[in-house]
Amino acid sequence: ACCTTGSTSVSSVLTPYQIRFRATMPLREIIVADMKEAMRAQDSARLQAVRLLRAAIQRREIDEKQNLSDAEVLVVIQKMIKQCHDSIEQFANGHRDDLVEKETVMLNVLKKYLPTPLSQEELSKIILEAIRETRAKTIRDMGPVMNWLKPKLHGKADMASVSRAVR
């Protein structure tokens, strides 16, 4: 979960030891560390995106009255990414290039926190396994296949594209 904006990269500032330590940190702590780094680098676009992410996470924690796990933080990030895509589409239709650029920067910052996506080959292999395990024969059996896939692919693949692949 390394953030890059322009020519400034968090990984270029960290030592190899810090990078290994960072890999074992909870996602919430990585986000806080990235916020501090954005402050030090005076990167206002990245700072604004990370602050919005932290606010969304804190809002959800307050609503649920518990600290979020990494998986739950990923759900918040994915929701924000979906909102960014929707906003970009709306702003592009309204010819607001300035807002499209702002949302694109935020989208790029948020995507840095997602796990490495699965390759098409890995995804196909998991989908075939799901079809075998659920004994799916027709499109009517898609529900159980998707229910089997969702926990395994959470955060690693776009479920809309998985749904298209299953069909």
Side-chain angles (χ1 to χ4, degrees), residues 100-143:
V100 168
E101 184 179 328
K102 182 179 174 185
E103 287 293 319
T104 303
V105 168
M106 181 159 177
L107 181 64
N108 290 334
V109 170
L110 292 174
K111 283 184 175 181
K112 304 288 184 194
Y113 297 108
L114 293 177
T116 307
L118 294 173
S119 70
Q120 197 61 34
E121 181 181 307
E122 293 170 318
L123 187 59
S124 296
K125 196 182 296 184
I126 293 173
I127 289 172
L128 289 175
E129 181 184 350
I131 291 170
R132 263 195 317 274
E133 288 288 324
T134 59
R135 296 184 176 94
K137 302 286 183 217
T138 67
I139 192 72
R140 290 184 183 153
D141 301 324
M142 188 172 165

Side-chain angles (χ1 to χ4, degrees), residues 6-23:
S7 61
T8 306
S9 169
V10 173
S11 64
S12 66
V13 177
L14 300 177
T15 66
Y17 172 77
Q18 289 171 319
I19 291 170
R20 279 194 305 274
F21 177 72
R22 188 180 176 93

Side-chain angles (χ1 to χ4, degrees), residues 74-89:
L74 276 176
V75 169
V76 172
I77 294 169
Q78 289 169 333
K79 182 178 178 184
M80 289 183 71
I81 287 174
K82 186 175 187 290
Q83 289 172 346
C84 281
H85 282 295
D86 294 343
S87 296
I88 289 170
E89 183 181 326

